[in-house]
Amino acid sequence: MDLKTKRWFVLLASVAINLCIGSGYAWSVFAKPMVVLLGCTAAAATLAFTISNSFGPVTMILGGRMQDKFGPKWVIVGGAFLFAGGVFLTGFTTSVTWLYMSYGVLMGLGMGAIYSCTIANTVKFFPDKRGLVSGIATAGYGAGSILVPPLANALIASQGILATFRTLGIAYFIIIVVGSFFVMTAPAGYKPEGWNPPAPTATSTVSGEDKNWNQMLADPMFYVLLIMLTAGAFAGLMIISQASPIAQEVIKVTPAVAAVAVSMIALANTAGRIFWGWISDKIGRYVALTIMYIISGVAVFALTGISSYAAFLIAAMLVGLCFGGIMGIFPALTADMFGSKNNGVNYGIMFSGFAIAGLFGPMTAATVKASHNGDYTIAFIIAACCSVLGIVLTLVVRSKTKKNQEAALAAKA
């Protein structure tokens, strides 16, 4: 079997592994039971989800360097001990401090280490389909919150919240370790047989230049892209982390119906990664991003006046669809802008934008709710404003990139 065929097995294994670590998105199903168990506020419990997202980029950066030295397989195995161990230990929670250390720190560190390998390494195997494959690989991450919410809801109902975490931790460890043995290291500068990279044009997003993390941090465009990622992830993480409480408290549905909403939003999140990744290969990353920011901004603003379950589900799914697309496109966009050679470390640093959104998105919703008697309106407006910022910055980057490409082409001519 040639490498052009083997790379698809690497992709499938990476998707299965990401399905496990993506279960962190299912936090909203665990939120209310943990509040009841610990007798804490919703904001205090949500901080565990925030900590998890904040620690992920730490090991994404380290994992990118470690996979270059030891190979992605062993980094994934190490990440399995952290991630699955964190989930398992959450099953012994007696205080918010324990919850923060297990679900927050340990799970977050494991998530980042694994994600850095499954995404960056897989993208290197597919220079001919960066957007699509980046979307498929990250779709596994989003799919975790499709399957886990109804399963977790059933387990919580039958055996309680703590036993559910222990069961899931064991299952995640087995799946991740088995999947890791199907992941191989992408050869340096790999190009599939019969394919040659297209030459840069004035409208392409590909710079054609590999930059290491030092060079990337010295490039002002990195910081613009970082803010774009933060702005794009803000609304998605806010809705994903609070979907179940919002549905139960604002729309007045049962926990079971709210769990269905969480799964449907996760389905949109997953579909968005594949759909927008494919679209971005066709119409360009920046055009696709602009469309996503517009849809997400309109949808999250619409939530300020929605009172029916159907309308809530449609708006929330649109937010999830665009959030998934943004998260699916950015690994490819980072490789386009700064080269694929160092994309493991580079995207790990870029992913800190997700951590910033993971800090402020969920906490904004929880804080606004607490200070406005359960009303999320101001939080939704803030999220809509972030989408507007994303539109403006995308237009700026697109214009700047076009000018740079035109200057490069003129110099060559």
Side-chain angles (χ1 to χ4, degrees), residues 34-79:
M34 291 305 293
V35 168
V36 173
L37 175 71
L38 299 176
C40 61
T41 64
T46 299
L47 186 56
F49 178 79
T50 300
I51 292 171
S52 177
N53 288 321
S54 299
F55 272 84
V58 175
T59 41
M60 277 195 71
I61 298 168
L62 295 175
R65 297 180 68 87
M66 291 175 66
Q67 71 170 298
D68 291 337
K69 186 174 183 180
F70 302 107
K73 178 188 301 182
W74 298 112
V75 178
I76 291 173
V77 171

Side-chain angles (χ1 to χ4, degrees), residues 7-8 10-12 14-15 18 118-140 273-278 280-281 285 327-329 331-332:
R7 64 180 183 163
W8 291 98
V10 175
L11 174 60
L12 290 174
S14 297
V15 168
N18 283 350
T118 56
I119 300 301
N121 183 65
T122 305
V123 168
K124 290 178 182 179
F125 269 111
F126 292 88
D128 51 331
K129 298 179 176 65
R130 270 183 187 162
L132 175 61
V133 169
S134 175
I136 293 174
T138 60
R273 293 167 189 254
I274 300 173
F275 173 74
W276 289 112
W278 172 71
S280 75
D281 281 339
R285 314 277 187 239
M327 297 310 300
I329 282 179

Side-chain angles (χ1 to χ4, degrees), residues 29-355:
V29 174
F30 304 122
K32 292 198 76 171
M34 291 305 293
V35 168
V36 173
L37 175 71
L38 299 176
C40 61
T41 64
T46 299
L47 186 56
F49 178 79
T50 300
I51 292 171
S52 177
N53 288 321
S54 299
F55 272 84
V58 175
T59 41
M60 277 195 71
I61 298 168
L62 295 175
R65 297 180 68 87
M66 291 175 66
Q67 71 170 298
D68 291 337
K69 186 174 183 180
F70 302 107
K73 178 188 301 182
W74 298 112
V75 178
I76 291 173
V77 171
F81 280 96
L82 290 171
F83 175 80
V87 176
F88 181 78
L89 289 174
T90 303
F92 299 92
T93 298
T94 56
S95 67
V96 289
T97 301
W98 184 280
L99 177 66
Y100 296 160
M101 292 303 298
S102 58
Y103 195 95
V105 177
L106 286 179
M107 199 179 90
L109 290 173
M111 188 186 303
I114 294 169
Y115 196 66
S116 69
C117 296
T118 56
I119 300 301
N121 183 65
T122 305
V123 168
K124 290 178 182 179
F125 269 111
F126 292 88
D128 51 331
K129 298 179 176 65
R130 270 183 187 162
L132 175 61
V133 169
S134 175
I136 293 174
T138 60
Y141 194 61
S145 50
I146 299 174
L147 301 178
V148 171
L151 172 62
N153 199 58
L155 288 173
I156 291 169
S158 64
Q159 62 185 39
I161 183 67
L162 295 183
T164 296
F165 278 118
R166 294 194 291 269
T167 300
L168 291 175
I170 294 170
Y172 292 155
F173 182 79
I174 294 171
I175 295 171
I176 294 171
V177 171
V178 171
S180 71
F181 285 92
F182 292 90
V183 176
M184 58 189 296
T185 305
Y190 172 73
K191 294 189 297 183
E193 185 178 350
W195 178 84
N196 289 305
T201 66
T203 57
S204 73
T205 58
V206 182
S207 70
E209 180 184 356
D210 283 306
K211 293 185 177 182
N212 60 32
W213 68 272
N214 284 307
Q215 294 168 322
M216 182 182 73
L217 292 179
D219 189 336
M221 296 310 296
F222 162 76
Y223 300 97
V224 179
L225 290 178
L226 181 70
I227 297 172
M228 285 168 55
L229 176 56
T230 303
F234 188 94
L237 288 170
M238 174 187 288
I239 298 303
I240 287 170
S241 67
Q242 301 296 313
S244 183
I246 292 172
Q248 292 179 60
E249 297 161 11
V250 178
I251 312 300
K252 307 300 182 183
V253 299
T254 65
V257 174
V260 172
V262 173
S263 290
M264 293 302 291
I265 295 167
L267 179 62
N269 174 11
T270 303
R273 293 167 189 254
I274 300 173
F275 173 74
W276 289 112
W278 172 71
I279 287 291
S280 75
D281 281 339
K282 303 296 182 182
I283 67 174
R285 314 277 187 239
Y286 299 128
V287 176
L289 279 171
T290 302
I291 296 171
M292 282 185 278
Y293 284 125
I294 292 172
I295 294 174
S296 181
V298 171
V300 76
F301 183 77
L303 287 172
T304 60
I306 282 174
S307 58
S308 73
Y309 179 71
F312 164 76
L313 190 58
I314 292 171
M317 286 182 68
L318 285 173
V319 174
L321 183 76
C322 296
F323 167 72
I326 289 167
M327 297 310 300
I329 282 179
F330 259 85
L333 184 59
T334 304
D336 288 347
M337 184 69 75
F338 306 111
S340 61
K341 180 181 179 181
N342 303 297
N343 202 42
V345 176
N346 288 349
Y347 183 62
I349 297 172
M350 183 70 73
F351 197 73
S352 60
F354 174 89

